[in-house]
Each structure stands twice: as C-alpha cells, then as structure tokens.
Amino acid sequence: MDTMGENITARQRGTDTLVSGFSCFDLRDTLDCGQAFRWSEADDGRWSAVVGNRKLTVALRGDEFVLFDTTFAEFEQKWRSYFDFDRDYLRIMKAFGENEILRDAARYASGIRLLKQDTWECLCSFIISQNNNIPRIKGIIERLCENFGERIEGGYTFPSAEVIAGLSLDELAPLRSGFRAKYILDAAQKVASGEIDLENLSKMDSELGASELMKIKGVGPKVADCVLLFGAGKIDRCPKDVWIKRVLTEFFGGALPECALPYAGIAQQYLFHYARTSGVFDR
DNA sequence: GCCCAGGGAATCG
DNA sequence: CGATTCCATGGG
C-alpha cells in the first residue's frame, strides 16, 4: 500500500511531542519549497506557522522532530497526517530509482514531505500564486490573514470562505493582489454558497474534482491540481507549472516516466525543487 | 524601462 | 481547435 507508514514513534515529553523513526524530513525543504506559504524560520532554527486555528512551532533536533506545546493526542489527531507520517518515503524514492533524472531529483530534494493542508486555504493560496512569485504570494496571503483572519495568540488564522464571500472587491484592495482579487471572491462565493463542496474532493474521482474546481474563475488545470494534491491528498496529481513543463520537455520527452505515476505528486515536488534551486538549468 | 513570476481568460486565426 | 495577448503588482 502506498499509505504504509515508516513505523514512526511519537511520545510526549513535558509540554512537547517528540517524533522519531522517519527517514526523509528536512524542515527547509518541506516548509519552504513552495507548497505552503505561511511557514517561517526564526533565528533559533525553529519554524512556525498558523495552521488551522492555532500557531504551531516545530524544530528538528538530530533525528528527532519536536512539536512544541503539543500533546500526544493532538499529534495523533492533527499533525501526524499534516506532516504525512503515514507514508513510506524511502520506498517511494526507491521506486523512483528506475529513472536517472528522477533519482537525482529525489536525492537532491529528499527532505521534502507533502503537507496535508486545509483545502480552502490551498485553493485560495494557489489562485494567488498564478503568474506570481513566491515572496509576493507570501505577502498577499499574510495581508489576507491580517486583514480578515481571526486574531489568535501569535498570529492570525486564514480567513474562511464565508468571511471572504461577504467582502467587496474594494475591500480586498489592501491585499494588492492585482487581477487575482476577483478570482478570490468568486472562489469564496462558490464555496460559501455550497456550489462547490471542497470536503468531497478527497473522496471524488480526481478528474471530476478537477472539473468541479475549474468552475471557479481563475482556476485552471494547474491550480486545480495543486488543490487536489496539497489540499485533498490526491498523490497522483502532477501540477504543471512553468518549471515542471520545462523539466518534462527537456528531460522526459513530455511526460513523467512510468515508475513515477503512482506518486506523481511527490515526483512533481522533487522535480520542482530540483529544477528551481539545484542549477541544472543554469549553464 | 525591461523582464519575469508555481496561470488563466479573452481573443484571435 | 492552437497560438497570442492581456492581466496587477513588485523585485531584480
């Protein structure tokens, strides 16, 4: 099974939860690779983000992953699936070994894990991502949360579709999101009204889910695939952004190799990171 | 000033 | 159909 885990162990120590037994995990690779936009690193090496209704702070210490101010029960209920600890990344990387480029990319980006994010936040974030760069995407999302999210200890939550749906285009102006503001509004209205049911996506056929999502203005194949992959657990989706298109044409003759297809989303993450930051395309 | 950025809609031919 | 062009904004 592709969901078989790595036999990780988690235990509570004081107010923190400690996890060990995973094989592939690097915080920068995972939290700053462009799949999620709210994580940031502090001077002491800890990473923090508001996830759902609370702010979470984590760190990697040796071979242990620390979740601060977290109970074991909360880890089991929320963070275990958020950090994708029920997946055997080592076995997937082994499968990728059949292809040389994929093997290199997987080795280069081996610290990436897929984060299971909130579907609505994911939809909104990747609408904002279109024809945009990552630092600016982060800025727009930050302003979205500060302006319309709920104030909590240490930050702001991501505003609900219902809250956004009640706003006007003028009220979204402070985001400075450009032409994307009307897309954010259309997404919020379709979700809040129930016209689009994001909760169903994980159970739905992926192609059907994609066409549902593409009813939203500003959502095309790429954004839809990002929502399915990062927000609905559809591991076989491969969002085709400019980098992946370039990798596919220059290295793979247009499509991912057979060995990558069951985990196309993970291959996509490895290749995206590899293409963008390793310098393979520089020359 | 010019280019581009985790695309997609509108408008061509 | 496929191929261009435009879209707001900000950083290099």
Side-chain angles (χ1 to χ4, degrees):
Chain A
M1 292 302 293
D2 64 339
T3 52
M4 189 146 46
E6 304 173 280
N7 286 325
I8 61 140
T9 59
R11 68 181 199 282
Q12 197 166 342
R13 194 177 67 190
T15 55
D16 306 331
T17 300
L18 279 57
V19 184
S20 59
F22 47 85
S23 46
C24 305
F25 198 11
D26 177 85
L27 294 185
R28 187 181 309 283
D29 286 353
T30 296
L31 304 176
D32 198 30
C33 69
Q35 62 171 323
F37 301 100
R38 300 199 68 192
W39 286 94
S40 62
E41 185 183 19
D43 295 334
D44 58 8
R46 301 182 185 197
W47 289 77
S48 297
V50 175
V51 182
N53 57 7
R54 67 160 281 189
K55 181 163 187 171
L56 179 67
T57 299
V58 300
L60 215 44
R61 290 181 176 165
D63 54 0
E64 279 193 320
F65 177 53
V66 187
L67 301 92
F68 297 97
D69 297 311
T70 306
T71 65
F72 174 77
E74 187 189 0
F75 171 78
E76 287 295 315
Q77 189 198 333
K78 294 172 66 178
W79 308 121
R80 186 183 181 101
S81 63
Y82 180 80
F83 289 102
D84 206 19
F85 279 123
D86 288 308
R87 191 184 309 282
D88 188 347
Y89 279 79
L90 216 51
R91 197 177 53 73
I92 293 170
M93 288 180 65
K94 207 169 162 187
F96 289 174
E98 284 184 28
N99 179 282
E100 189 182 341
I101 300 293
L102 210 47
R103 184 171 64 235
D104 290 347
R107 188 175 299 139
Y108 178 81
S110 63
I112 295 180
R113 305 182 72 89
L114 280 175
L115 299 175
K116 175 81 169 58
Q117 303 179 66
D118 175 76
T119 320
W120 160 247
E121 177 172 341
C122 211
L123 169 60
C124 216
S125 299
F126 281 96
I127 285 174
I128 291 167
S129 80
Q130 70 160 286
N131 196 34
N132 213 341
N133 57 66
I134 291 178
R136 189 163 168 259
I137 296 165
K138 290 180 177 174
I140 294 171
I141 291 173
E142 197 177 325
R143 292 190 287 278
L144 179 66
C145 297
E146 285 172 357
N147 279 281
F148 307 114
E150 188 185 330
R151 165 133 228 173
I152 59 168
E153 190 182 339
Y156 296 86
T157 63
F158 196 92
S160 69
E162 287 73 17
V163 166
I164 302 294
L167 300 172
S168 66
L169 264 184
D170 284 345
E171 290 174 297
L172 289 179
L175 305 184
R176 302 196 301 275
S177 62
F179 61 88
R180 305 166 191 85
K182 55 182 178 291
Y183 300 154
I184 296 170
L185 214 50
D186 188 57
Q189 288 165 357
K190 287 193 165 79
V191 170
S193 72
E195 185 178 341
I196 303 232
D197 185 3
L198 297 179
E199 306 310 312
N200 254 333
L201 289 176
S202 58
K203 309 169 222 159
M204 250 190 220
D205 171 74
S206 288
E207 293 300 328
L208 196 59
S211 58
E212 275 297 297
L213 287 165
M214 286 191 288
K215 290 177 181 170
I216 298 166
K217 290 274 184 190
V219 176
K222 193 270 177 180
V223 171
D225 277 341
C226 284
V227 176
L228 291 171
L229 175 61
F230 303 126
K234 298 290 187 181
I235 203 73
D236 59 334
R237 301 305 283 194
C238 178
K240 292 171 183 67
D241 64 283
V242 287
W243 290 101
I244 296 299
K245 284 176 181 169
R246 194 171 167 193
V247 168
L248 290 181
T249 54
E250 293 191 26
F251 290 152
F252 295 107
L256 286 175
E258 194 76 25
C259 67
L261 295 185
Y263 325 102
I266 293 175
Q268 195 268 7
Q269 283 302 98
Y270 289 161
L271 291 167
F272 176 74
H273 189 55
Y274 183 59
R276 243 174 33 108
T277 64
S278 79
V280 274
F281 284 133
D282 286 356
R283 223 158 320 177

